[in-house]
Amino acid sequence: MKVQSAPTTEWFSVVDSKLSPQIRELIRQGAWIALNPTPEWLDQLDQATVAGSSAIAGDPTLAAAVSSSNRASLVHFATSHLRDPGGVVSAYLGPEPLRMARILVRRGLGASALDVYRIGQNVALQRWMDIVFDLTSDPHELRELLNVVSRSASDFVDLTLAAIARQMKLEHNELAQGAIVERRKIVEFILDGESMNHKRAEARLGYPLSGSHAAAILWCDQADGDSRLLDRTVAALGQVVGCPHPFAVVASEATRWVWFKDIAEIDSERVRRVLEDTPTLRVAVGTSARGVEGFRNSYEEALTAQHMMVRLRSRQQVALFEDIQMVALLTQKQGQAEAFISHTLGAFASAGSVLRDTLLTYINEQCNAARAAQQLYIHRNTLLSRLDAAQRLLPRPLERTTVRVAVALEALKWFGNHDQETGLTD
């Protein structure tokens, strides 16, 4: 939200004649301040609105769309009061809320999900209170500034929600006839364990439910993800895992559910290479399992891996459930997981990633220095030097805490605020 320069009174259109020139000027000043929020306050707005709905909090694509819509609505509201202090603010139905409406419909969520707008309204009004108390100490001015803008905000949100709800109805009517929705609905029935004719489902999906299935969830961090890029990446992933024709479902504008049929073990390194040139893409992959139950269970595993990546704000692009199952369980309560890591690793938790990877490799190689050095392509003396540095940072001797240290290091890899490359001295 960037504003180039402070506006002048030439911006103003017809204003409410009941408002004094002083009140209109204070509203204009407050709107100008509101247009330049701190990044911390924007994060607070995002967290409050997303936390208001578990369906939104667990869906990174939808959460990003809600955040984008909230911020754009804030700009529209504040800019309107710059032009017409205290005047009526029209509903905002720009590209951001339209995109959010599309995702809500494709997620099968109703207009009740829009209640997060009310939460955003409350957060914004709290900030408006802070602004006006900095602008004036006159009790009459304060009362009028708070009343005028709070009424305006309430009316604006009402109008905007009604407009978005109408748009959602249009989107729903359009998509209800499409093959994308039909495919997703059938898959959702299967995933929910609903009673259905599997042969008929296979015929409608064009995908056999027999054999083995490995599910993946591919998504883009940006709410307006490039659909063509996602579809190309699905095809590329199919090639590297040995499934030339993966079964894909459009879960949302920026998310694909994918199943790979009858494949061998997945090479996570090859999967990472597919995504390395597209840093906004993430993929979570379940284990391969047979039949309808396998189709369903593998998806649940991929969903668990995705939720863990989102919860920990991980910068990792690829998560295989078989690699993160323990970490997912450990980090379900993030505060307790962080306390375990801090207690187990002490100062070593802040060491560079190379030093942490060295110690984890050493433990994984059953504390065999020769094998660990070979695995890391370094000289044995270099390995021993790093291990000595690690031991000095650990709060307790490694030989008595090997398992706990390994678990803590595995978990630490997935925390976004610990993906660092500094702090290593050979």
Side-chain angles (χ1 to χ4, degrees), residues 32-54:
W32 174 253
I33 296 171
L35 272 173
N36 294 274
T38 64
E40 291 77 14
W41 184 83
L42 289 173
D43 286 341
Q44 178 188 348
L45 175 65
D46 290 343
Q47 291 171 12
T49 51
V50 169
S53 167
S54 58

Side-chain angles (χ1 to χ4, degrees), residues 98-291:
L98 290 179
R99 184 182 305 118
M100 181 184 68
R102 284 196 300 273
I103 296 174
L104 285 170
V105 170
R106 293 185 179 185
R107 280 288 191 250
L109 299 174
S112 61
L114 298 175
D115 287 344
V116 294
Y117 262 73
R118 298 294 181 192
I119 299 173
Q121 175 188 346
N122 292 336
V123 175
L125 286 177
Q126 181 62 51
R127 181 164 184 262
W128 177 251
M129 290 178 61
D130 295 338
I131 290 172
V132 298
F133 274 92
D134 286 338
L135 291 176
T136 180
S137 59
D138 183 280
H140 299 293
E141 291 179 348
L142 287 170
R143 185 182 303 109
E144 191 162 16
L145 286 170
L146 293 172
N147 287 339
V148 168
V149 174
S150 63
R151 286 197 305 268
S152 175
S154 181
D155 292 343
F156 165 69
V157 170
D158 286 344
L159 290 170
T160 299
L161 290 184
I164 294 175
R166 288 194 296 271
Q167 184 64 30
M168 287 178 66
K169 186 175 181 179
L170 292 174
E171 290 282 347
H172 186 272
N173 291 339
E174 179 181 342
L175 290 175
Q177 307 301 320
I180 291 176
V181 172
E182 181 186 21
R183 172 175 280 206
R184 175 174 169 155
K185 287 295 182 185
I186 295 172
V187 169
E188 285 177 337
F189 272 117
I190 297 171
L191 295 177
D192 291 340
E194 299 285 348
S195 177
M196 63 186 306
N197 186 313
H198 291 149
K199 291 296 182 184
R200 184 177 300 173
E202 288 178 340
R204 293 170 69 183
L205 293 174
Y207 179 79
L209 296 171
S210 59
S212 65
H213 314 272
I217 300 175
L218 174 70
W219 77 99
C220 180
D221 283 342
Q222 299 174 350
D224 55 345
D226 185 339
S227 293
R228 289 175 296 181
L229 173 61
L230 284 166
D231 294 336
R232 288 197 302 270
T233 303
V234 168
L237 290 172
Q239 292 295 328
V240 300
V241 303
C243 178
H245 304 289
F247 174 67
V249 175
V250 178
S252 75
E253 191 174 4
T255 304
R256 299 292 183 271
W257 298 340
V258 188
W259 281 264
F260 306 111
K261 185 169 172 55
D262 297 331
I263 61 172
E265 184 177 351
I266 293 177
D267 184 339
S268 60
E269 201 54 47
R270 295 188 67 191
V271 173
R272 286 189 184 90
R273 286 199 290 269
V274 171
L275 271 61
E276 63 185 0
D277 292 329
T278 52
T280 61
L281 296 188
R282 304 278 184 271
V283 66
V285 187
T287 58
S288 185
R290 298 189 66 80

Side-chain angles (χ1 to χ4, degrees), residues 401-423:
T401 57
T402 305
V403 174
R404 292 171 62 87
V405 168
V407 171
L409 287 173
E410 286 285 0
L412 190 62
K413 288 196 302 186
W414 296 94
F415 278 81
N417 58 338
H418 284 285
D419 293 339
Q420 58 200 38
E421 296 297 335
T422 60

Side-chain angles (χ1 to χ4, degrees), residues 59 73 80 92 94 124 140 182 192-193 207 304 318 339 374-375:
D59 185 330
S73 296
S80 180
Y92 180 65
H140 299 293
E182 181 186 21
D192 291 340
Y207 179 79
T304 297
V318 179
Q374 184 178 19
Q375 188 75 13

